[in-house]
Amino acid sequence: MAKKLRAFVVILLAAGLTYWFLKSSEWALVGKYLSGVKLWPLALGFIVINLTMLARSLRWQVLLAPIAPIKLDNAMAATAIGFGSLFVVGRASEIIRPLVLSMRENLKPSATLATILIERIYDTAAVVSLFAFNLLFFTLPTPDSERVRQLAAIRGIGLFLLIGLVLGIATLALLRLKAPQIIGWLEAHLTYRWFQPVLNLVKHLADGLSVLVSLRALALSLFYTGCVWTLVTSGTWLVLYAFGQHFALSQVIFVLGFGLIGSLVPTPGGAAGAFHATAAKGFEFLGLEHNLAAAIAIVYHLIAFGSPLLVGLFYLMRDGVRISQLRAMLAQEMTAQASTATPQAVIQDNKL
């Protein structure tokens, strides 16, 4: 019942945001802007965005190294299928990527799922750092009293996010350095059988966090993260250039932050509606006319989320991956984890 309610709320949110985005635009003008777009920057943007999957795959190899060595081809296939699925089912598809890799490399899903969490930490840290640092030097192209006031509020939000990021990284470093004590405490207190998957995830997360105390692994993972967001920033600039907009780097990063907020909303179609609305607002904040901002947001969404779909379909057909296989694998591990629960956990369950 809870899953159905959550799905209903997400669909309702997507429909509401999409309706608002569509209603607020004059589609004759949007079509005019779309018809005048340059194609070669979009083609280059398509290539650049898909190169991010290669950088992510290389980073994934580094993050998984403490658990098991993986082949780059398998990491690339899983990454392409996972990110391609984002365009269809939204953030719910994030579980697909680690499951595909687990199937191809014969790894436990809990191990690959933990590294996805670490990847999210890296990417969030990168964007928050870029966005917050950029706000220190960001200036409005067409300043007015209202936008200056709004920019001051956005700078406050950026500072708050940066402080939260520092605290979060410190907590993760503590988890890695004190992993035996923390895991020991969890094993003593999380004794119910249904806590076992959580405990296994924490163990794998602690293993994956070894990248934070290995200088070589940390340097490599940071380098690949830098490559990912340099490519994403370049792809964003190319989409703007295709519409005749010559934004400075600080302005592109500002828009990137707005787009990220929209992409976090777990609506189907790669955050459809939410991404369009927030990205368009970012463009408008920089002085673009509303319908031009809407046209750019549509194309930006297709390049950012739609282009990986084509590469993902190639690997999906090549490897013959089926959703039923992934579900069966996840269910098998959940059953295995339940059967390895401690005797104390079984006693506690029997008391319920």
Side-chain angles (χ1 to χ4, degrees):
M1 183 64 183
K3 289 183 178 179
K4 291 182 179 179
L5 179 61
R6 184 167 61 248
F8 175 76
V9 171
V10 167
I11 292 173
L12 189 64
L13 177 63
L17 289 169
T18 302
Y19 174 76
W20 176 84
F21 177 76
L22 295 175
K23 185 181 178 182
S24 62
S25 303
E26 298 177 46
W27 289 97
L29 287 175
V30 172
K32 182 180 178 181
Y33 286 124
L34 290 174
S35 64
V37 71
K38 298 176 183 177
L39 295 182
W40 72 262
L42 297 184
L44 190 56
F46 174 91
I47 296 171
V48 166
I49 290 298
N50 279 301
L51 282 175
T52 63
M53 292 189 290
L54 175 60
R56 290 180 186 277
S57 300
L58 290 166
R59 182 180 62 181
W60 206 5
Q61 281 187 309
V62 175
L63 295 177
L64 275 168
I67 300 170
I70 61 170
K71 296 178 180 178
L72 180 59
D73 180 61
N74 289 340
M76 185 65 186
T79 300
I81 292 171
F83 275 90
S85 302
L86 277 173
F87 191 73
V88 181
V89 296
R91 288 292 171 186
S93 70
E94 287 191 344
I95 196 174
I96 294 176
R97 183 158 64 109
L99 289 179
V100 170
L101 185 66
S102 295
M103 182 177 66
R104 293 176 64 90
E105 290 282 352
N106 196 25
L107 295 172
K108 288 185 177 181
S110 56
T112 51
L113 280 167
T115 57
I116 295 300
L117 292 177
I118 298 170
E119 276 197 340
R120 290 300 299 274
I121 292 166
Y122 267 78
D123 288 334
T124 302
V127 175
V128 169
S129 300
L130 276 173
F131 187 66
F133 185 75
N134 181 63
L135 285 173
L136 298 175
F137 310 97
F138 179 78
T139 56
L140 289 167
T142 54
D144 57 58
S145 58
E146 179 61 20
R147 287 184 181 176
V148 169
R149 184 185 62 80
Q150 292 174 346
L151 181 58
I154 293 172
R155 282 195 172 116
I157 294 172
L159 179 60
F160 175 78
L161 291 173
L162 195 58
I163 293 172
L165 174 64
V166 172
L167 292 175
I169 291 175
T171 302
L172 291 172
L174 181 65
L175 170 61
R176 176 52 192 156
L177 294 172
K178 301 291 183 180
Q181 296 92 323
I182 294 172
I183 292 173
W185 186 90
L186 291 175
E187 287 176 332
H189 292 82
L190 302 184
T191 55
Y192 293 109
R193 181 182 302 172
W194 38 274
F195 274 129
Q196 194 64 32
V198 176
L199 184 58
N200 285 338
L201 186 62
V202 171
K203 289 178 179 178
H204 288 302
L205 186 59
D207 288 337
L209 285 171
S210 61
V211 71
L212 296 175
V213 292
S214 167
L215 186 59
R216 180 180 181 276
L218 180 61
L220 276 175
S221 58
L222 288 175
F223 171 74
Y224 290 133
T225 300
C227 290
V228 167
W229 290 103
T230 298
L231 290 167
V232 171
T233 303
S234 301
T236 304
W237 185 88
L238 285 165
V239 171
L240 288 162
Y241 183 80
F243 284 87
Q245 304 302 312
H246 303 273
F247 278 19
L249 178 60
S250 65
Q251 294 171 329
V252 174
I253 293 173
F254 182 82
V255 168
L256 203 60
F258 269 75
L260 176 70
I261 293 171
S263 69
L264 294 177
V265 180
T267 55
F275 183 89
H276 295 88
T278 54
K281 278 299 175 185
F283 295 136
E284 288 182 55
F285 194 85
L286 295 178
L288 296 189
E289 189 267 330
H290 173 76
N291 295 291
L292 174 58
I296 297 175
I298 292 169
V299 175
Y300 185 28
H301 179 263
L302 290 173
I303 293 294
F305 291 93
S307 56
L309 176 63
L310 299 179
V311 181
L313 287 173
F314 164 76
Y315 282 107
L316 198 63
M317 291 185 292
R318 189 196 73 172
D319 300 340
V321 177
R322 298 191 302 274
I323 296 297
S324 58
Q325 293 175 302
L326 305 180
R327 286 178 177 171
M329 179 177 22
L330 188 59
Q332 183 179 6
E333 183 178 6
M334 294 292 287
T335 303
Q337 289 174 352
S339 65
T340 57
T342 62
Q344 185 181 0
V346 175
I347 293 172
Q348 292 284 355
D349 277 352
N350 291 334
K351 287 180 180 179
L352 297 178

